Amino acid sequence: MNPLVDRLPNLPPRSPIPIPSRRRVLLALPLALGLIGSAWLTGGTLAAAAEPTPALKDLDGHFPFNVPVSAEDWADRADAVRLQTRIALGVHPLPKLAAPVATIHGRREMDGYTIEKVILESLPGHFVTASLYRPFPADPIDQRRPAVMYAHGHWNDGRFYETPAGDVPRLLASGGERFENAAINHMQAACVQLARMGVIALQYDMIGYADSQQISFDRAHRYGINDSNPAVTDAGWPLFSTLAEGYGQSVMGLQTINTLQAFEMLRNLPDVDPAKIAITGASGGGTQSFIATAVDTRFAGSLPAVMVSTRMQGGCTCENACGLRVATGNIELAALTAPRPLGMTTANDWTVGMPEDGFPELKRLYALVGKPDAVQLFPGAHFPHNYNHVARVAMYGWVNQLFGLGLKEPILERDFELVRTDQLTVWDAAHPKPASGIEYERSLNRSWAEQIDAAMRPAADDSAEVAKQKQDRIAEGWRSLTAWSESYRGLAEGNAKWSGRPAGGSVIAVRLTAVPSVGQSPQFALSVRDPLAGELTDLAPLVKNPRPAAAYTYGYNAPPVIRRLGVLLDALTAARSGRDVKYKLIVGDDQILLVAAAALQWPEGIASIEWATEAPADFDPLRQVESIRDPQFIPSALRFQGLPGLLATLGDRVTRVAAPRP
């Protein structure tokens, strides 16, 4: 029995499955009455922060890259950030994709190149659409060529883009473009020139652009501005919902899956050298370019144009994912390309300061890994945000060097015949458009989650090998999610000082309960507050942004549970006073998620957990979350099987006991 809990009139009555978001989550650590082993806590108090400290970070913050001191340190850091990136994008593990075999049709022979239409299934039922440019006349089929993937940014209609007629003379007069057709569609100009250089080029649609309309432009890029989020139904759930975020499902993640599937398709073409595939793109396409080389080490190199910076990290929902930039940023994410070649361009935009802030750090990193000349910056501060001819000439030279084409530089474009929308679209009577709309979006997310659960959830017929693989994946995922807590260590004022000292012995028993009402204070107490928001209420704070997507807050800040985890670990560390002792934590349903995360993150300090509960075996507060402002919300946690998955990583360190009756 716990008489302290029994005397808490301010707590609501227990429900069969308590929903922690409806409760006050300020916590206390009173001394457990009695002796565990031969140790207990003697006189004193643990004190945490009384006031919030730093503000929530958003995409317009400053994101410097701290270069490690050694190549070995970088290898460890790169592994951790790559895993964090893959988890944030929902590609760890990668879902089971369709066979990377495309439908290629509608071949057009042009001056030095051909254009073909590409339809490629990515996730089952979800399609990538693209234009494929090949050199023409072609060499024998047994000659494999290098390839470049072109990821466009936020230019209207993407692959079908046409510059407004009034802007074409300005682009020509400024020297940004040499030919009218290139001024009309600079993306087509780039692919034409690459094919004329002997390189196969794939320009593929970002979600919501050109032929990729299964998820609309407004849903993918304007959520919260042009529309609100539809409801969860029995058929499934939409993107941006708490279920989607819990499974790590996002527009950016889905776009990354499309990128990886298009990469696999290219690798399987008979005329492509699978070891010589690079990626480029500008703006949002630049984001996709460095993300591709961050998550997949098989890309030969990356040239993200006008995107990599210590400043604005990506304004669109398609460039943000929960967990992606917690304790990191675009410079370090681009650095994951190392030691492979990395090129970047700048303009008179957020990238303008790169020569002084960002690029020097990348140079030091590349020198550290023994490739000082493999990173290049091509400044263009005299032009606004662009991927114009000047920037493309830099890209052609970079591709020439990357693949050893032996072409004389500078490589300048020549004019080409512009191919317009009606000739580029992949859909026709023989190739009808697939399902689209919100019902499609719901069903896609549901089937996607079923794939995740099948890859992660233990099953009775699992072999010992499969069971271990699942357990290892879940543990790896939860360790990555809880590792964010290190960013919040020491943020609490006074670092949660312990004014007393533990007695001799090897185990300290501590009961973790909700805060008692006035006049019922325990002898020993710790307020475990959010270091970025002070005392938690029913709603956690979000950053200011007109789009209510979770990624704008949790792409840059760990969720409240993980932030409080840093404070809790600080407090428990301080209470040990340097002695070689461990804790036995005694908790109820309201605290089990926080304490289980602490036990996983600090196995050397927490010996065991006694969980007083009457909840069913599959109790999971993470599945009860209905708002991204719920203090129990943890993005990607459902991907790793929620609380049951976390508890499974602790094995017999957790013991369930009957909860005291209210």
Side-chain angles (χ1 to χ4, degrees), residues 207-209 212-232 236-242 244-245 249-252 254 316-320 436-442 444-445 547-549 552:
I207 295 170
Y209 283 87
S212 180
Q213 296 297 324
Q214 291 182 276
I215 297 174
S216 71
F217 175 85
D218 279 353
R219 289 291 299 147
H221 306 276
R222 304 285 289 175
Y223 162 64
I225 295 178
N226 286 359
D227 70 351
S228 58
N229 220 25
V232 174
W237 52 88
L239 294 165
F240 308 109
S241 64
T242 55
E245 299 294 357
Q249 297 170 327
S250 66
V251 175
M252 188 179 187
L254 184 57
C316 186
T317 44
C318 74
E319 297 175 274
N320 286 275
S436 62
I438 191 59
E439 290 306 321
Y440 164 75
E441 187 178 323
R442 286 191 181 104
L444 173 68
N445 287 328
R547 301 174 185 180
Y552 288 119

Side-chain angles (χ1 to χ4, degrees), residues 391-582:
R392 295 195 303 272
V393 166
M395 181 266 287
Y396 302 143
W398 181 84
V399 169
N400 187 37
Q401 296 167 27
L402 175 66
F403 295 135
L405 302 179
L407 301 177
K408 183 179 179 181
E409 297 183 28
I411 300 169
L412 303 178
E413 294 174 356
R414 55 188 176 91
D415 204 0
F416 65 97
E417 179 185 344
L418 187 67
V419 179
R420 288 188 151 87
T421 300
D422 60 340
Q423 299 166 318
L424 289 173
T425 182
V426 305
W427 308 120
D428 56 27
H431 307 90
K433 295 179 181 180
S436 62
I438 191 59
E439 290 306 321
Y440 164 75
E441 187 178 323
R442 286 191 181 104
S443 65
L444 173 68
N445 287 328
R446 188 181 189 93
S447 62
W448 186 0
E450 288 170 354
Q451 280 201 29
I452 295 168
D453 284 339
M456 296 288 195
R457 183 174 293 165
D461 58 351
D462 285 343
S463 66
E465 181 181 3
V466 169
K468 185 177 185 307
Q469 286 176 347
K470 289 181 177 180
Q471 186 177 35
D472 289 347
R473 284 174 179 168
I474 291 170
E476 183 180 47
W478 269 109
R479 287 193 188 98
S480 182
L481 295 181
T482 56
W484 294 336
S485 64
E486 289 302 305
S487 300
Y488 301 91
R489 299 291 296 272
L491 291 187
E493 183 179 309
N495 201 28
K497 298 296 185 183
W498 173 254
S499 61
R501 64 181 180 83
S506 59
V507 179
I508 299 173
V510 177
R511 191 178 301 277
L512 196 65
T513 71
V515 169
S517 59
V518 175
Q520 302 292 334
S521 297
Q523 182 179 2
F524 305 98
L526 166 66
S527 295
V528 185
R529 305 186 183 193
D530 183 338
L532 301 188
E535 292 189 18
L536 291 177
T537 62
D538 286 339
L539 297 176
L542 303 177
V543 301
K544 292 181 179 179
N545 193 294
R547 301 174 185 180
Y552 288 119
T553 296
Y554 300 119
Y556 303 89
N557 310 275
V561 171
I562 305 303
R563 301 198 297 256
R564 288 187 292 132
L565 174 57
V567 177
L568 176 60
L569 294 176
D570 270 348
L572 295 176
T573 302
R576 293 205 304 177
S577 300
R579 297 179 64 86
D580 186 18
V581 293
K582 289 191 174 186

Side-chain angles (χ1 to χ4, degrees), residues 118-120 127-131 159 203-206 209-213 426-427:
V118 176
I119 305 169
L120 172 68
F127 292 90
V128 182
T129 48
S131 295
R159 190 162 48 94
Q203 186 188 4
Y204 64 113
D205 294 329
M206 304 294 104
Y209 283 87
D211 283 322
S212 180
Q213 296 297 324
V426 305
W427 308 120

Side-chain angles (χ1 to χ4, degrees), residues 44-120:
T45 302
L46 284 166
E51 299 293 338
T53 44
L56 290 167
K57 199 165 191 176
D58 69 8
L59 61 90
D60 286 317
H62 183 237
F63 297 81
F65 174 38
N66 297 315
V67 183
V69 297
S70 70
E72 292 75 17
D73 288 343
W74 169 244
D76 292 341
R77 173 65 180 165
D79 285 346
V81 177
R82 198 182 312 279
L83 176 62
Q84 174 180 331
T85 303
R86 291 177 63 86
I87 289 173
L89 297 171
V91 296
H92 184 81
L94 188 69
K96 184 178 180 181
L97 304 180
V101 179
T103 297
I104 301 176
H105 69 101
R107 186 171 184 265
R108 297 174 62 89
E109 295 182 358
M110 311 295 285
D111 179 14
Y113 60 98
T114 61
I115 307 178
E116 294 167 286
K117 304 176 181 184
V118 176
I119 305 169
L120 172 68

Side-chain angles (χ1 to χ4, degrees), residues 133 150-162 182 184-192 203 387 392 396 416:
Y133 295 75
Y150 190 108
H152 67 78
H154 294 94
W155 279 269
N156 292 343
D157 300 321
R159 190 162 48 94
F160 301 160
Y161 177 70
E162 293 196 15
I184 294 171
N185 189 324
H186 63 276
M187 295 170 269
Q188 193 172 142
C191 294
V192 167
Q203 186 188 4
Y387 207 170
R392 295 195 303 272
Y396 302 143
F416 65 97

